[in-house]
Every structure is written in structure tokens, then in C-alpha cells.
Amino acid sequence: MTDTDITTTAGTDWAAWQQSWDRQQEWYMPDREERFRIMLDMVEALVGPAPRVLDLACGTGSITARLFARFPGATSTGVDLDPALLAIAEGTFADDDRVSFVTADLKDPDWRAKLPYDSYDAVLTRSAR
Ligand SMILES: C[S@@+](CC[C@H](N)C(=O)[O-])C[C@H]1O[C@@H](n2cnc3c(N)ncnc32)[C@H](O)[C@@H]1O
């Protein structure tokens, strides 16, 4: 193995991975952004502009990204089981202490034990499959 064979995440273009994921998901669901917007409208109406959110089946953290863009005072926990998507999420939000990501299978009856908080203001998800 040479130095150039070493795999590293340093310098990875996480924004490009996010854009690639968004493009792929929008092919399946063209009104995805509108759904995100309505979700956050509901959150703001019900619990205000600084919610603690549980982003279930978070994938790359798409909901959390929209949440922070709109509500900078929000906090989030993302839960997913896919290591590749979680790597993109963790890379994207590496320096952001408003969010943490949890690897868990929602089919496991004990998945909630892995969460950092006992309660959330809102539980958001978009297509958990
Ligand atoms: C279509 S993607 C949606 C991701 C993200 N919410 C978004 O809008 O881009 C579905 C996600 O559900 C996750 N998922 C499916 N089954 C799951 C399970 N049993 N436990 C945790 N995550 C699961 C997948 O890993 C994937 O990230």
C-alpha cells in the first residue's frame, strides 16, 4: 500500500455528497422541499423557533440541515442504521454541537435507550424505509 491508497475523510466534499443525495431523493419525491417546509411550519407553530428535534431515519441529516437553516437555535438528534449515510451526516455537521447522530435500528424495541435526551419537542421523519 502507498500513501495514496490510504482512505481518509479529510477534505471530503460533504456538501457535494448532500447535493447528490438531494438530487437522488427528489427524483423519487419532487415535492420533497415543500414537505420539509410544511414540517417546519408545523414545528414553529406548535413549539416555537428553538425546538429540540428527533430526526428519525435521518439519512444524511436532510431534515436537520433545513431545521438549522431556518431555526439556528434548534437542536437535533439524528437516528439511522445506514453507516454510509450517517458518515455523510457526521461529516457535514462535524463542528456543530447542536446535533448528534445515533446508530440504531428502529425495529429494535430498545432503540430509544441510545438517545441523548429523554424528551423532544418534535419528532420528524421523511420516508423511513
Ligand atoms: C429514503 S431515506 C430518507 C432519509 C432522510 N430522512 C431524507 O429525507 O433524506 C430512508 C432512511 O431510512 C433509514 N431506515 C430504514 N429502515 C430503518 C430502520 N429500521 N432503522 C433506522 N433507520 C432506518 C435508511 O437507512 C434511510 O436513511
Side-chain angles (χ1 to χ4, degrees), residues 11-32:
T12 301
D13 187 348
W14 299 116
W17 280 105
Q18 292 287 356
Q19 285 167 16
S20 174
W21 174 255
D22 283 344
R23 274 200 307 276
Q24 188 238 27
Q25 291 297 304
E26 283 161 7
W27 191 87
Y28 295 108
M29 188 176 283
D31 63 349
R32 181 168 174 262

Side-chain angles (χ1 to χ4, degrees), residues 26-125:
E26 283 161 7
W27 191 87
Y28 295 108
M29 188 176 283
D31 63 349
R32 181 168 174 262
E33 288 299 330
E34 180 70 355
R35 288 171 184 247
F36 288 149
R37 186 186 64 74
I38 292 168
M39 237 182 236
L40 296 180
D41 285 349
M42 294 294 292
V43 170
E44 185 172 26
L46 293 172
V47 295
R52 180 190 293 164
V53 165
L54 183 56
D55 181 356
L56 277 191
C58 63
T60 63
S62 302
I63 291 174
T64 294
R66 276 73 176 172
L67 176 76
F68 290 168
R70 178 157 164 184
F71 307 125
T75 53
S76 179
T77 304
V79 180
D80 206 285
L81 50 57
D82 187 304
L85 297 180
L86 282 173
I88 297 172
E90 284 167 352
T92 301
F93 297 98
D95 299 321
D96 195 331
D97 60 8
R98 295 173 297 178
V99 61
S100 59
F101 292 98
V102 171
T103 301
D105 185 343
L106 299 173
K107 292 179 185 160
D108 175 352
D110 298 325
W111 69 267
R112 282 180 292 180
K114 296 183 172 180
L115 298 179
Y117 300 107
D118 291 334
S119 66
Y120 290 86
D121 298 314
V123 180
L124 304 179
T125 193

